[in-house]
Amino acid sequence: PRVGKTPGKTKVVNYFGCWGSNDNESDLSPRNCNMFMIDLPGYGYAATAGVEEKELWEERSLLYLQSRAPILQTGEVLPCIYENVLAPLNTCFLLVDSRRDPIMTELDFEYLDYLDEHKIPVCVVLTKIDKINTLSRLKAFNEMSIVVQQRHQSGFTQLKPEVLGCSSHSGEGINEIVDYMKSGGVWRDEFYPKEFWEEEEEKEV
């Protein structure tokens, strides 16, 4: 995939479907998809945008996340029907630039607060790890691990204990993230039977 060199390139909600390597190319329908990844506009867009664009960013990102929260404000747990566009999110990956010092910004903490409030599980991924040396990398992972520990001690429950790292340039860490997705139930190996889809299509009619 192409990666923007400057922050703020993503301005809309993008869906990426992931199919298994043995899937029939003639039947790459959403119902056979192992996993959907949703790319949301990030802070780079918010930081470079005007007032109206920032409001649009909040609408597209924050309100989108709220609509995919597993628990409604009434406390009712939503049914997890994977194919439903509004089904609960399994995990939200918060991408943090590993070169930053300090590692977390005020916006990052606000985002974590928002996710915790809406009961959306979140895992931090340190990006651009190929751009820093070994010592700086250890420092970044250590600082992020301390943040995670402090959040848990403060009563925040949705932040995953794992801190992942990757490089879109070298590919380092990508396989580990995929393995994490598979082990955490994000990747789907079993599908609803044909009868399920027939019933759903009848409902739509």
Side-chain angles (χ1 to χ4, degrees):
R2 292 181 298 176
V3 180
K5 294 183 178 180
T6 57
K9 288 295 184 181
T10 302
K11 299 182 180 181
V12 296
V13 177
N14 295 304
Y15 278 75
F16 297 91
C18 300
W19 286 263
S21 58
N22 296 324
D23 287 342
N24 187 342
E25 293 184 1
S26 63
D27 190 21
L28 298 181
S29 61
R31 69 181 64 182
N32 292 327
C33 188
N34 292 92
M35 175 182 66
F36 280 104
M37 293 188 294
I38 298 94
D39 182 22
L40 299 178
Y43 312 145
Y45 176 47
T48 59
V51 175
E52 292 184 0
E53 289 178 312
K54 286 183 179 180
E55 292 178 353
L56 184 60
W57 172 77
E58 291 181 355
E59 178 182 352
R60 287 175 174 171
S61 293
L62 300 183
L63 294 183
Y64 173 82
L65 289 170
Q66 183 178 347
S67 71
R68 299 292 303 278
I71 297 181
L72 300 174
Q73 292 182 356
T74 59
E76 177 186 357
V77 178
L78 291 172
C80 189
I81 300 177
Y82 194 89
E83 284 73 13
N84 188 337
V85 173
L86 297 179
L89 291 172
N90 185 295
T91 302
C92 178
F93 291 93
L94 180 63
L95 307 184
V96 176
D97 192 332
S98 63
R99 301 171 298 179
R100 289 194 315 213
D101 187 16
I103 195 67
M104 293 284 283
T105 67
E106 183 178 346
L107 277 174
D108 290 324
F109 284 113
E110 290 179 3
Y111 217 78
L112 288 178
D113 291 344
Y114 187 90
L115 295 170
D116 202 88
E117 177 185 353
H118 292 88
K119 308 301 179 186
I120 299 176
V122 55
C123 176
V124 174
V125 178
L126 298 180
T127 64
K128 300 179 175 64
I129 59 175
D130 62 304
K131 303 295 184 181
I132 55 178
N133 59 35
T134 302
L135 183 61
S136 297
R137 185 180 299 193
L138 290 173
K139 180 175 179 290
F141 275 93
N142 183 62
E143 287 186 6
M144 195 65 245
S145 297
I146 291 175
V147 169
V148 171
Q149 184 179 15
Q150 291 175 341
R151 297 278 298 184
H152 280 283
Q153 292 175 348
S154 301
F156 293 92
T157 60
Q158 298 305 309
L159 185 58
K160 303 277 190 177
E162 300 86 357
V163 177
L164 306 179
C166 72
S167 164
S168 61
H169 177 72
S170 67
E172 183 180 359
I174 300 299
N175 289 336
E176 287 75 10
I177 294 176
V178 173
D179 290 340
Y180 176 85
M181 291 178 176
K182 291 182 177 181
S183 64
V186 180
W187 186 270
R188 185 173 59 111
D189 291 318
E190 297 182 358
F191 305 98
Y192 286 100
K194 180 180 179 182
E195 292 75 13
F196 170 85
W197 288 103
E198 291 176 346
E199 292 177 2
E200 290 299 307
E201 289 170 355
E202 290 178 1
K203 292 177 182 178
E204 292 179 359
V205 174

